[in-house]
């Protein structure tokens, strides 16, 4: 019988945000992606103007922090897309607020409470 250790299966904590367009007559396209390592999170820019692709550098020149120590962050981050030759190009910017909650905090204040449901789409023909 095999006994397993929980630490064998731990994965690095990443958050991936994707931006898609919503076409009516063509397939939707991925406009860009940002993948954030939550234990080495790049500090967000204060405004869209200050948000650049340099924020994603992993060489230590960009301030980083752990979302597990500072449990709330707000800012602007660049969204990028890979081009044909492997070049990465900034395709947009996203403003987000991210907060890490305990289960008790999340149960006390669930997301979406007090909001109405999504609007129904017309039936396709």
């Amino acid at each position: 019988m095999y006994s397993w250790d929980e630490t064998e299966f731990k994965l690095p904590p990443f958050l991936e945000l994707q931006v898609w367009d919503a076409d009516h007559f063509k397939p939707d396209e991925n406009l860009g992606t940002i993948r954030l390592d939550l234990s080495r999170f790049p500090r967000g820019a204060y405004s869209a103007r200050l948000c650049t692709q340099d924020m994603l550098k992993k060489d230590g020149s960009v301030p980083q922090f752990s979302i597990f120590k500072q449990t709330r962050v707000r800012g602007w981050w660049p969204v990028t897309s890979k081009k044909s030759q492997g070049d990465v190009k900034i395709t947009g910017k996203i403003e987000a607020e991210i907060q890490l909650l305990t289960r008790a905090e999340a149960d006390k204040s669930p997301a979406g409470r007090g909001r109405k449901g999504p609007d129904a789409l017309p039936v396709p023909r």
Side-chain angles (χ1 to χ4, degrees):
M1 179 177 231
Y2 178 74
S3 68
W4 60 278
D5 180 7
E6 181 180 327
T7 58
E8 288 181 50
F9 299 101
K10 287 191 178 179
L11 298 173
F14 286 101
L15 172 65
E16 184 170 290
L17 302 173
Q18 298 179 344
V19 178
W20 291 76
D21 70 350
D23 289 331
H24 292 285
F25 303 107
K26 299 186 303 184
D28 294 343
E29 294 176 283
N30 184 337
L31 299 177
T33 303
I34 183 169
R35 188 170 191 221
L36 301 168
D37 180 347
L38 297 180
S39 58
R40 287 185 302 280
F41 206 88
R43 193 162 303 283
Y46 292 110
S47 69
R49 186 178 54 80
L50 298 173
C51 179
T52 66
Q53 189 171 341
D54 291 340
M55 295 171 57
L56 301 178
K57 289 183 179 178
K58 298 187 187 307
D59 61 2
S61 64
V62 178
Q64 298 178 343
F65 66 96
S66 172
I67 194 73
F68 302 104
K69 293 180 182 171
Q70 179 182 333
T71 59
R72 186 178 198 156
V73 64
R74 182 176 183 194
W76 287 85
W77 288 272
V79 177
T80 60
S81 179
K82 287 188 180 177
K83 297 300 172 191
S84 59
Q85 285 121 9
D87 296 333
V88 176
K89 180 181 176 185
I90 187 167
T91 55
K93 300 171 183 185
I94 189 167
E95 182 182 24
E97 181 175 348
I98 300 167
Q99 185 174 4
L100 186 66
L101 302 172
T102 64
R103 178 170 302 269
E105 291 169 331
D107 288 342
K108 192 185 305 181
S109 179
R113 180 173 281 181
R115 298 181 184 173
K116 66 179 186 173
D119 295 332
L121 295 174
V123 177
R125 296 177 204 198

